[in-house]
Amino acid sequence: DTLWDLAIAEVKKRENPDEDDDVKPGEVWEKSILFMGNKNGGKTTIILRCLEREESPKPTLALEYTFGRRARRHNTPKDVAHFWELGGGTSLVELIRIPITSHNIRSFAVVLVLDLSKPHELWTTMESLLQVTRNHVNKILTKLEKTNPEVAAEIKQRMWNDLQRDHPDYALVDPFPIPLVIIGSKYDIFHEFDSEMRKIISKTLRFVSHYFGASLVFTSKSEALLLKARALINHLAFGYDKSKSVSVDASKPLFIPAGLDSMSQIGPPPASDSDLGKMRANTPLELWKKVFEKTFPPKSFCDLQDTKDPAQDIQYAEYEVDVMRAQKNQELEQYKRNASKSWKEMDFDSD
């Protein structure tokens, strides 16, 4: 290359510092993001805000899909971001197998939305969703190691991209296998909590995010807070510049991009030395769980009980289908009554 060629390449690099090395000029950047978390936690609102759509959010039915398109520069093809949203809290977590596949694993990311106003559901929701997702991704990586070892190695290396080898916590964390953003929603309600409760929740989510190599942001319906969440998501979806600002003050909304926190800044679990001494844990994550659930014991609830029948949802009403369904329901009830009578009338030999 001539000196002029090198200069042009350097200018392009500076103009697009976060552009993916795998995307060549003229090619379309294509990424996928799965949103999951508490039911009614604000996932749809966040997605609509990221896509700049002025729509009223509707309840998510099972697994829903939408997409967004953006051009990196003037007169260039528009990049595509696929947005998947898992409804039902933890009850439908097995559906994550549909969007996350071996074909898109290199360009996939996860956004976990946790409702800060429901601390008693927080750990259970987070643990259930991340555990199933991690197991599924690891299965894909195991298969890729046999069929395409270079891609598998690249994905595993990317897990550590946000944490430099000289980071003091390098040996203490366990990064999530694909990019992860944790969003604490409904900060406006959370802000009214007792200061000690806020401190425990904030500190715990800082630890969890740092342990998994994730970014953390607190948000609400406030435009300023939604913009911060949007910045993190746009980085994953369209390769926009990654914010370097950090806010770790527990009295304010947290904003901590991946790799910019540390165990020393977070401090020990919020419990007395005597309580910590009584707790048996095999990992730091397990210890933080015990401490958190001592203050916020998990509620014994079943998501499935709260899952509404989609057939009864007004937004999916179709007259002909509903009439036929009502007729079939009547036939089913009649069949049950007849079957019950016939069983009762049967003579069984006691011998």
Side-chain angles (χ1 to χ4, degrees), residues 15-26:
E15 287 178 348
N16 305 280
D18 277 349
E19 190 169 321
D20 196 315
D21 293 335
D22 296 332
V23 182
K24 299 179 177 62

Side-chain angles (χ1 to χ4, degrees), residues 59-120:
T60 303
L61 176 68
L63 184 67
E64 296 194 1
Y65 167 82
T66 187
F67 69 93
R69 301 177 70 206
R70 303 272 169 82
R72 268 170 286 164
R73 295 182 297 278
H74 186 60
N75 289 333
T76 60
K78 288 188 176 181
D79 298 323
V80 180
H82 305 280
F83 289 79
W84 296 87
E85 182 182 356
L86 179 70
T90 60
S91 64
L92 303 172
V93 68
E94 295 300 327
L95 291 178
I96 63 158
R97 298 175 182 179
I98 296 172
I100 309 177
T101 68
S102 57
H103 300 293
N104 64 14
I105 192 72
R106 291 177 69 193
S107 57
F108 213 99
V110 169
V111 174
L112 176 65
V113 180
L114 298 173
D115 189 337
L116 295 174
S117 70
K118 300 176 180 176
H120 293 277

Side-chain angles (χ1 to χ4, degrees), residues 40 44-45 48 55-61 64 85 313 315-316:
N40 304 315
T44 306
T45 300
L48 292 174
E55 302 174 22
S56 298
K58 296 177 182 178
T60 303
L61 176 68
E64 296 194 1
E85 182 182 356
D313 196 319
Q315 66 175 315
Y316 302 109

Side-chain angles (χ1 to χ4, degrees), residues 14 33 36 41 65 87 109 114 132 140 181 185 203 237 254 266 272 278 306 321:
R14 290 183 182 182
I33 301 178
M36 56 188 186
Y65 167 82
L114 298 173
V132 174
I140 293 176
V181 170
S185 65
K203 203 171 182 182
L254 297 181
I266 297 169
S272 65
K278 297 172 186 175
D306 299 329
V321 175

Side-chain angles (χ1 to χ4, degrees), residues 171-191:
L172 303 175
V173 298
D174 185 18
F176 205 68
I178 53 179
L180 173 65
V181 170
I182 297 178
I183 296 179
S185 65
K186 302 187 181 178
Y187 178 79
D188 49 337
I189 300 174
F190 170 79
H191 188 60

Side-chain angles (χ1 to χ4, degrees), residues 241-258:
D241 288 352
K242 187 176 180 180
S243 176
K244 295 290 173 33
S245 67
V246 178
S247 175
V248 296
D249 187 344
S251 65
K252 298 177 181 177
L254 297 181
F255 182 80
I256 312 171

Side-chain angles (χ1 to χ4, degrees), residues 2 5 31 35 85 98 107 131 143 149 156 174 186 190 197 203 211 235 243 258 263 288 291 311 329 331 337:
T2 65
D5 292 330
K31 299 286 183 178
F35 288 76
E85 182 182 356
I98 296 172
S107 57
Q131 198 170 58
K143 290 181 181 177
K156 288 186 175 182
D174 185 18
K186 302 187 181 178
F190 170 79
M197 289 173 63
K203 203 171 182 182
Y211 186 77
H235 170 69
S243 176
M263 298 293 188
W288 277 81
V291 171
N329 283 341
E331 292 174 3
R337 286 194 291 270

